[in-house]
Amino acid sequence: MTITVLNHPLAAHYLTHLRDKTTKPANFRLLTKRLTVLLAIEATRSLEIHLREIETPMEAIESPILWDPLVAVPILRAGLGMLDPIVEFFPDVSVGYIGLERDHETAVASSYYAKLPPQMHERTVLILDPMLATGGSACSAIATVKAAGAGRVLMLCIVAAPEGAAQIHAQHPDVAIFTAGLDRELNAAKYILPGLGDFGDRLYGTEGV
Ligand code: PRP
Ligand code: URA
């Protein structure tokens, strides 16, 4: 299984504060962005580069520039919390959106929206969703971007359950997963343990609404 868990004290520190139930939405959003930066740096390590001729004030050199045109696809709604830093660090990125919602009783995700950029063909696609629980939402999103012609697909999440990672591996063994934390298990309601609760609710302050 291709899963990379961030192995960095700063990521671990941010994740601890994100998990803490006393963390309020404003700080939760900030921590989400910071963790996404660390995930993006790790996930894009193997992006294609090309050499460009430039002149420094001292001499002419050939120097690397990013070449892979990226597509980012946040899964609504929680994945939106990860989009800002991706757009900031990769200003040429194209963005698509996939709306999926888990049924509260069955935990099965159903689709309510999809809008992908026309230029998906052979592009590297970053799927953004902070929680990988059963893997139902992620697998559905991966199937959607592949059907639209995506090339390499990378899954960026903040917390992953072993069950979700195994599900992606079973359905899409070519997809590499990047996560800040690989947790213990799912509970009976298919929430991640120890996890951090409902990500979307904590991001948008809708707990108990
Ligand atoms: C959460 C989360 C993932 C999904 C993960 O979304 O953001 O999309 O659950 O669970 P899975 O791996 O079992 O599919 P949710 O459906 O609660 O919607 P929301 O982001 O709109 O709150
Ligand atoms: N979605 C969440 O927001 N949290 C979980 O623990 C599982 C799915």
Side-chain angles (χ1 to χ4, degrees):
M1 177 167 0
T2 322
I3 181 161
T4 302
V5 183
L6 291 184
N7 179 15
H8 195 289
L10 187 60
H13 177 85
Y14 289 156
L15 186 55
T16 296
H17 286 289
L18 200 72
R19 290 185 192 277
D20 187 336
K21 68 179 184 185
T22 67
T23 298
K24 300 270 187 304
N27 198 26
F28 195 90
R29 288 192 282 272
L30 181 65
L31 291 161
T32 298
K33 288 180 186 169
R34 290 180 173 174
L35 279 164
T36 303
V37 170
L38 299 177
L39 281 169
I41 287 171
E42 191 59 40
T44 56
R45 195 178 277 282
S46 60
L47 282 190
E48 196 183 340
I49 51 163
H50 274 210
L51 294 179
R52 170 172 288 176
E53 282 182 21
I54 60 161
E55 287 184 24
T56 77
M58 311 302 288
E59 61 180 10
I61 54 166
E62 289 197 325
S63 197
I65 55 161
L66 283 179
W67 199 252
D68 248 352
L70 280 181
V71 176
V73 179
I75 299 181
L76 310 178
R77 99 196 124 136
L80 275 184
M82 300 172 73
L83 183 59
D84 276 1
I86 299 291
V87 173
E88 189 176 332
F89 277 69
F90 301 94
D92 295 329
V93 70
S94 305
V95 180
Y97 297 88
I98 290 180
L100 288 163
E101 186 170 28
R102 293 202 323 173
D103 182 279
H104 281 293
E105 301 296 320
T106 64
V108 174
S110 57
S111 160
Y112 60 87
Y113 187 73
K115 187 156 183 89
L116 297 177
Q119 63 276 35
M120 291 289 290
H121 192 64
E122 295 297 319
R123 297 243 167 137
T124 296
V125 177
L126 310 179
I127 307 248
L128 311 176
D129 191 342
M131 302 305 269
L132 176 61
T134 65
S137 304
C139 285
S140 167
I142 294 165
T144 301
V145 301
K146 281 186 174 175
R152 200 155 54 112
V153 181
L154 309 173
M155 178 76 211
L156 275 60
C157 51
I158 288 180
V159 177
E163 293 90 332
Q167 193 55 239
I168 291 185
H169 183 64
Q171 291 192 35
H172 302 284
D174 54 311
V175 172
I177 305 167
F178 296 85
T179 185
L182 181 59
D183 276 10
R184 193 176 70 243
E185 60 183 346
L186 298 179
N187 69 8
K190 308 295 184 197
Y191 272 76
I192 301 174
L193 297 176
L196 48 73
D198 189 301
F199 203 100
D201 282 343
R202 295 196 61 192
L203 189 70
Y204 295 117
T206 53
E207 281 170 289
V209 173

